Amino acid sequence: MNKFEISTGVHTYSVGMPLTAKQYYQIQKSLSDHLRLTNSNFWAKKEQYTVDFLKESGIVLYLSKIKRIYRIKVRLEPCRVLGNSDPAALYQPSKKSYREMIQQVDKLLQPYHIPCSIDEMKISRIDLTCNLLFSQSDPVQIYIRSLQKAFVLPHYKRDYFRPDDGKAKNPQEANRHSCKQKCRSASFFSYDKTAQLQMIGRLTNELIGKRVLRLEAELKREAMKKHLGKQPDNYHYLKAGAAQAQKVIKWYLKRLFKHADGTHMCYCEAVELVQQQTWKPKTRARALYLLRKVSDSQSLDAALQKTMAHFGIKRDAADRLLCKLRKAGINPITLPNSSHAQPIESMLKYFK
């Protein structure tokens, strides 16, 4: 197993509240020089503004109106708010640091007629995060590729950076170094944090020569309650989230790699290992076909569907095939023969 360090905590979280029409237009007027219209629909009477001039201080505002419903949302990056200059730092809440963060944010927002403290707003999203820090770049690229080929979770769909969404300087490069699945209440986002910091010019001297794989479970209100239970206030949601970040990330990984958490090895090595197994000829043929299709397909789902169709088997038989590969120590998501990379353990091995 490659040498690595793991750190966990909260990357960002969001709070929000409804506004009266008077409050909305008062805030809009006070922020007029900083408003950026990001969504507008005349017929739906909808408008949404993003205010990011405080982004370097860890604060982004979202002001929205849909017909006669007015809202404000505040997205916070606690480590930035508290003055931590490490761009890979994750927040571990304490009562003292939480109070300091609230005071700092309230002070910065005070001139813009925000009607209450952010501590009184309702938490609407929390990003539970794990950083895996490696001394080499190979593991991160291998794990990103394996996540791109992993199962798509039920009710989730793939999500990508697009040229018109303004979320990445180079969307094509960002998609190469990341993978995201999302549903209505949650997202699971994995990306090469080092590559992202290089892209935006924030790579620190401490990270030069190292590589950070970041895994984020982005939970909205419904998913927060499911994974963290109902908490009495925002502070306790942050506290519970930071404490359970590793557990929640592992919950996602176990489903993304169901029956497929063996060792990643080069395709030719996996084929050779399959041929050494004392399986029935039909089982060996199915396993070899599946390995080839995983290499050619976008995901394990697609490869399994092709294998099932080719051999006329049902999902139960395909799952048993995955289990056989797992027992033999073979991950169906293999490495390209051209990569010359050493076999590498499943990412799940890093989690308790």
Side-chain angles (χ1 to χ4, degrees):
M1 187 179 291
N2 289 275
K3 291 182 179 180
F4 80 105
E5 298 173 22
I6 187 168
S7 59
T8 62
V10 173
H11 176 214
T12 65
Y13 79 102
S14 299
V15 295
M17 65 175 292
L19 299 171
T20 64
K22 181 179 179 181
Q23 289 171 336
Y24 175 84
Y25 288 112
Q26 192 174 33
I27 294 170
Q28 187 186 57
K29 183 179 179 180
S30 66
L31 289 168
S32 58
D33 293 338
H34 308 290
L35 292 174
R36 176 164 57 88
L37 186 64
T38 49
N39 195 342
S40 179
N41 187 317
F42 174 80
W43 301 107
K45 298 181 180 179
K46 176 181 179 180
E47 61 184 29
Q48 179 176 313
Y49 297 94
T50 298
V51 182
D52 56 9
F53 76 103
L54 292 172
K55 189 174 182 178
E56 292 302 314
S57 299
I59 306 167
V60 178
L61 304 179
Y62 301 91
L63 199 61
S64 64
K65 180 184 80 168
I66 303 176
K67 295 183 179 178
R68 295 185 180 180
I69 299 174
Y70 307 89
R71 287 194 65 83
I72 186 169
K73 183 174 80 170
V74 185
R75 191 187 75 198
L76 303 165
E77 190 176 338
C79 288
R80 266 201 192 188
V81 173
L82 293 168
N84 191 330
S85 60
D86 180 359
L90 299 173
Y91 182 51
Q92 286 287 342
S94 67
K95 287 186 177 180
K96 181 182 178 182
S97 66
Y98 181 75
R99 282 196 300 268
E100 289 174 359
M101 177 180 64
I102 297 301
Q103 290 169 2
Q104 175 68 3
V105 175
D106 287 348
K107 180 181 176 181
L108 290 171
L109 296 184
Q110 189 271 332
Y112 305 106
H113 302 286
I114 308 302
C116 67
S117 166
I118 60 160
D119 190 35
E120 297 172 40
M121 298 183 187
K122 193 173 182 178
I123 190 167
S124 58
R125 172 175 154 173
I126 185 170
D127 295 352
L128 309 184
T129 308
C130 288
N131 285 339
L132 296 180
L133 176 64
F134 296 91
S135 57
Q136 302 172 357
S137 61
D138 282 354
V140 175
Q141 290 304 108
I142 289 169
Y143 289 138
I144 290 292
R145 182 176 178 274
S146 71
L147 285 158
Q148 290 170 341
K149 283 185 171 285
F151 286 115
V152 178
L153 300 174
H155 312 299
Y156 282 67
K157 63 180 181 180
R158 301 277 192 197
D159 192 29
Y160 302 94
F161 292 101
R162 297 171 181 81
D164 57 349
D165 62 15
K167 293 181 180 179
K169 275 190 173 182
N170 185 334
Q172 185 176 2
E173 191 68 6
N175 287 326
R176 192 170 75 84
H177 290 287
S178 69
C179 180
K180 187 173 186 177
Q181 296 187 24
K182 70 174 184 178
C183 69
R184 185 176 58 85
S185 62
S187 300
F188 186 75
F189 187 30
S190 52
Y191 60 102
D192 184 335
K193 180 66 177 176
T194 312
Q196 185 240 356
L197 292 173
Q198 285 174 330
M199 191 183 298
I200 62 176
R202 290 191 67 208
L203 187 66
T204 59
N205 291 333
E206 291 79 11
L207 289 176
I208 293 175
K210 298 179 181 179
R211 214 75 187 182
V212 178
L213 173 62
R214 172 162 285 186
L215 306 172
E216 286 187 356
E218 302 171 351
L219 309 180
K220 295 182 181 177
R221 190 79 183 182
E222 182 182 333
M224 283 166 48
K225 290 181 180 178
K226 174 183 175 181
H227 287 284
L228 307 177
K230 189 174 181 181
Q231 302 295 329
D233 53 36
N234 295 350
Y235 169 71
H236 284 91
Y237 270 113
L238 292 174
K239 190 78 174 174
Q244 297 187 51
Q246 205 172 142
K247 179 182 176 183
V248 175
I249 297 294
K250 185 176 181 180
W251 183 90
Y252 272 98
L253 291 176
K254 286 180 72 174
R255 283 152 183 80
L256 290 167
F257 297 106
K258 186 179 179 182
H259 306 315
D261 57 358
T263 300
H264 299 283
M265 60 187 74
C266 286
Y267 174 77
C268 61
E269 294 174 357
V271 167
E272 185 178 347
L273 193 50
V274 166
Q275 290 171 337
Q276 293 172 5
Q277 303 303 307
T278 57
W279 297 339
K280 293 178 181 178
K282 68 176 183 180
T283 303
R284 193 178 296 112
R286 291 172 182 176
L288 292 171
Y289 187 87
L290 176 60
L291 289 180
R292 189 166 72 250
K293 289 304 168 185
V294 173
S295 295
D296 297 341
S297 304
Q298 284 192 329
S299 68
L300 269 172
D301 306 76
L304 277 182
Q305 290 295 331
K306 291 172 184 177
T307 304
M308 289 159 59
H310 183 78
F311 291 100
I313 59 176
K314 294 184 178 180
R315 184 58 187 253
D316 287 348
D319 284 343
R320 287 195 295 273
L321 186 61
L322 283 175
C323 289
K324 279 189 173 291
L325 287 168
R326 180 190 197 186
K327 191 173 181 181
I330 304 168
N331 196 310
I333 303 174
T334 58
L335 313 179
N337 290 333
S338 59
S339 70
H340 304 297
Q342 294 296 314
I344 187 170
E345 295 274 18
S346 165
M347 203 185 319
L348 273 160
K349 303 292 183 183
Y350 296 117
F351 290 83
K352 299 174 184 177

